Amino acid sequence: MSNKFSRRDFLKLTGVGAATTAILTGCGPASRYVKREPYMQMPEYNYNGLSTFYATTCRECAAGCGLIVRTSQGRAIKTEGNANNPLNLGKTCARGQATLHGLYNPDRVTDPMKGDSKITWDEATQVVADALKNNKPEEIAFLMGTAPDHLFDFVSDLANAAGINVPVRFNALSMFESRATLSKAAENLFGKTGLPFFDVGGAQIVLSFGANFLETWLSPVSYTRGFAGLREAQTKMRGKFVQFEATMSSTAGKADEWIPLKPGTEAMVALAIGKLAAEMKGVSASAFEGANPEDAAKKSGIKLEALEHIAEMFAHSGGALAIPGGAALGQSNGLAVAEAVLALNALADNFGKVGGVYISALAPMQTEYHGPASAQEMQDFIKNMADGKFKVLFVHGVNPVFELPAALGFKAALKGVGQVISFSTFPDETAAEANYVFPDHHGLESWGYQRVATGAAQPVLSGAQPVVSPFYNTRATIDLLLAAGQIAGGKFALTFKDEVEFLQSKVAPLMNEADGFFSAPDINTFMASFQQYGGWWKTTDGRTVPAAADVLNKSMSGAESKFAGEGEFFFVPFVSPTLAEAGANKPWLQELPDPTTTVMWNTWVAMNPKTAEEMGIEDDDVVRIVSEFGELEVPVYKYPAIRPDTIAIPFGQGHTAYGRYAENRGVNPTDLLGQNFNEAGDLAFAGVKVKIEKTGKKKPLSRLESIMGVYGVGMGEEH
Amino acid sequence: MIKRLFDWLIQPLGLIAVSIAVLALFSLAAYGINTTQQPPAQPIQFPHRTHIAFGVQCLYCHPGAARGPAAGIPSQSKCWGCHQQIAKTNDPKSELRFLKAAVESGTPIQWIPVAQVPDFVQFNHRAHIAAGKNCEDCHGDMTNLTLAENPQVFNMGWCLACHVKNAGDDHAKLVKLTDCGTCHY
Amino acid sequence: MIRPEEIKMSSEETGKWGMVIDQDICTGCQACVAACAMENNVTFVGEVDSGYGRSMHWIRIERFWEGEYPEVKMTPNQPMLCQQCGHATCEPVCPAFATVHSQSEQLNLQVYNRCVGTRYCANNCPYQVRSFNWRDYERPEPLPNQFNPDVTVRRRGVMEKCTFCIQRIHKAQDKAKSEGREVVDGEFTTACAQACPASAITFGRIDNPESLVSQLGHRSHGVKHLEELGTLPNITYYKGG
């Protein structure tokens, strides 16, 4: 080395030195010597390095799809659909796949909590026992998720025995699905309650009025299979699909024809199509007599020729089917829309036929349809809470503070309840407001069953079993209630030893039922098969045929719906197909691009590009949206397939709690909704008009169709 | 500041200091490499040789090797199956006191795996056993060993040399056994 | 340099494993994307990095727009993943031989331990299906409990892409061999095909004329993307409609 040892050379030398150190120590003992713990006692069906598979039920939504979970060394690795389960036949949706990110989420509730401090399960049991014992039975209320599961049966039994309030089921999906409207329309037209089932797979032409059946509606996996059947073109003619909707949802994106009708004119349009089709068929139907196709065309913004063309397809097709759902029912005249669209099916004469309308099969052990609470019934529930009629409220499987419109006042009404006890596995908004959180196991760690409300031809009871042992100090809610019941004594002391014994007592009668997928001579064999196959179902079709006789003679109303508020834009909230109501805490669901806009990790408002241009609004501009019930600020996505007078916001984000991946991300469109119901008591969530104000702020949206780093656009941070 | 540091470094004394630093670095690294080649300390000085002398087959304790990717470490209940009937287990001076303590207290013994491949290698025991390899072909002769040791470094050259030798003249087999995707994915 | 007359077209089937994707029934529901991420330990990158196009999706659903409102149309959803080209453009540009062609499985491999992160391959891929680990993305405990032990967890500076679930291929082959038989068509499939609620994805041996994927692949209106580049892609798309 000479005296001309420059700074450059010095840096080179240090660089080489550092690299050498890094490389050499990288092979050092620290990274090499991992520890391995053998099993204390290895299960005999287990081998090191080989996977074990368990059948269970997906708890991400109320559909009740069967899962097969691959586990390795006591860890759940992957979920697949259960090919035996007639509902999903081995398939899953994205949420079913990501359920493991809920199980191993870093933000779960790990212990029973009193406020912010951990308590023991003994203390927790005492709290529940005191709550049951020290209050009058009519002051005790249970609020649960939509899924009609074993816990619902247990609490119903407890309610029967001890005289407490019958458990109320509710969830945002059932609200946005307008389940109450569907079953009410079926009752009005067919004289029988039940969820209609639409056999999309067997149809040749499907007219869907707002039903987002390829996203989250009722049973998306089953309906997607139906859609694949509709489009199948090897053994039959490829079926056609027309969607009437003000904004192009990802379901509408798959339609052969998307008809962007004016919100509120769905009933009118359905009746007009009915009238035209009836004339073409030469059928007289008084239901459609009041309709005026020219007028409907004008008011809905659809060309008369288009209506005639659709009516012609509908009239002359061998398998015509019309589906009401989604935003079309979430309006002040939602019930009329549902009836008008069901009447179209009467005209197509498809009741109980392949490609037609059925009433869904009742699940095993079920004698009549029992739907979840409508938003209006929830309003009554909230009133009881606020009036102090409930001294203790148990919440399980639902997050009403987030899922119900804030204007309905659930959060404030909680103050009127003496004691709120949440069984949530997650620190959600409702758990944050609760006095106690006594976490249940995650769905993959727990026993149970779930009745399949719709989607399968057979009556199906999907069975659940733990696929891994509980990861945290959690306890099954039934076990907790049983233990507390023993302490409380009296009518609360049910005789079951634990959750599994209760489960057995419930499914035992199925052993004697005919046409089972399997049968067994004794309960132990039966339970083993129940776990192995992931439930029990019949091999026979359990769907019933709606009574068609009178439908076409009923009088139908095609009046336009009424909108709350003065704004110039129709507002269409829709459930995010990837996040839905409870997916925001799972990081991979956040990173799934929305199928229509490809936006990830955030909420947007979809606006027609022309409208945005006229208002001087660009992509990513934050606008304030004001309705009669509330307001929120959200960035704009210029969406090419939405009516100029309509805006749409996905529901799923906007959490204030619910773990690190969900918190303070996006907005909740239910903030713009309020006491605005249809005749069936469902929330008229698409019956609100809103104003848009510019804020001058910008919030770049993260999209798969990325524009970041290009054209000088950035996320606001240097990266 | 930096200029002054340079000035000092390029003096003979500075150069010596740099040389010492470099030397220290390299000897440290050499030591690091050396330690990777030593068998790690185990919680129990498990005598493979004694077990083999009693006629216990490898696959009795490591049955996973014949069935799947991992040979596995036997569960404690398996150890105990034999050892609870052996008088020496109760000898408080013997190495077996650790086993007894672990089984009685219900705490798993934390073994240190010896024969390891890096995370980016997907190794499958079953295929090797099925191809007629014996355990000792890779893991060495255990009849004289107490703790397991590696008779050779498990690196790619060593794997491939054997793969090529075994493929012989069978071209299809050679393609399969030297394909990157056979082990790396 | 390949001259145009040397370009092989899809009529000359060269691959081993292949896929048929029916875009007419793909609903864009993202189940395949989630299934792939769960099976292959694909990391999520967060809002900011995904905004910059650094998300790690091995499969993505593309959709485009045609026309303007009200005559606007969403083109059929197009699941885009590594086409496992028979003549891949990513392979010859890798200076480290980290992306090589598997002679035994006829797949494009990505050997993580060889990859030095030049990103030449991603820049040369006409399908834009390779993703690069720009950081060591955090997956806080206990999320790593979910990792698939059959797939390497990648780290910063490494390129990755769809492998046609090669771990499942090997597992099926291993099982078949242990039972002394050949792998049966439909015995296993990729994570995306297994999850797809519409069964829009079919996977299997395209060199076996009896397999379902070959049968479907011989329908007349199938398209192989960018095959005019001579890449010999092994995925056939049906637009339908």
Side-chain angles (χ1 to χ4, degrees), chain A residues 391-406:
Chain A
K391 290 278 185 290
V392 54
L393 173 68
F394 294 98
V395 185
H396 186 286
V398 61
N399 180 10
V401 174
F402 172 76
E403 293 177 31
L404 276 167

Side-chain angles (χ1 to χ4, degrees), chain A residues 219-293:
Chain A
S219 189
V221 174
S222 157
Y223 272 100
T224 303
R225 186 175 67 239
F227 171 74
L230 173 77
R231 282 285 166 84
E232 198 270 319
Q234 293 295 297
T235 58
K236 61 171 190 44
M237 250 174 56
R238 175 179 179 277
K240 276 208 141 196
F241 170 31
V242 181
Q243 176 100 348
F244 297 85
E245 203 174 20
T247 169
M248 190 189 277
S249 63
S250 78
T251 305
K254 290 306 294 175
D256 299 286
E257 287 176 42
W258 167 59
I259 313 290
L261 83 183
K262 187 177 152 210
T265 60
E266 286 89 350
M268 189 188 292
V269 169
L271 293 180
I273 291 174
K275 180 165 193 180
L276 291 168
E279 280 166 9
M280 290 169 195
K281 288 181 109 163
V283 177
S284 81
S286 60
F288 305 124
E289 251 154 37
N292 178 348

Side-chain angles (χ1 to χ4, degrees), chain A residues 1 3 5 7 10 13 17 20-21 24 27-29 32-42 47-50, chain B residues 6 9-10 15 25-26 29 35-36 38 40 67 69-70 72-77 106 108-113 116:
Chain A
M1 275 179 244
N3 284 347
F5 190 87
R7 179 165 178 272
F10 177 73
L13 187 66
T20 321
T21 328
L24 293 181
C27 313
R32 218 177 113 85
Y33 292 169
V34 290
K35 290 195 169 87
R36 278 198 193 144
E37 285 182 2
Y39 276 102
M40 292 294 297
Q41 180 128 32
M42 187 147 76
Y47 275 97
N48 284 310
L50 296 184
Chain B
F6 284 136
L9 277 176
I10 55 173
L15 287 175
L25 211 76
F26 275 93
T35 47
T36 64
Q38 305 299 320
R67 293 176 166 267
I73 300 170
S75 63
Q76 271 154 240
S77 58
I109 303 166
Q110 304 210 319
W111 298 103
I112 316 287
Q116 278 200 90

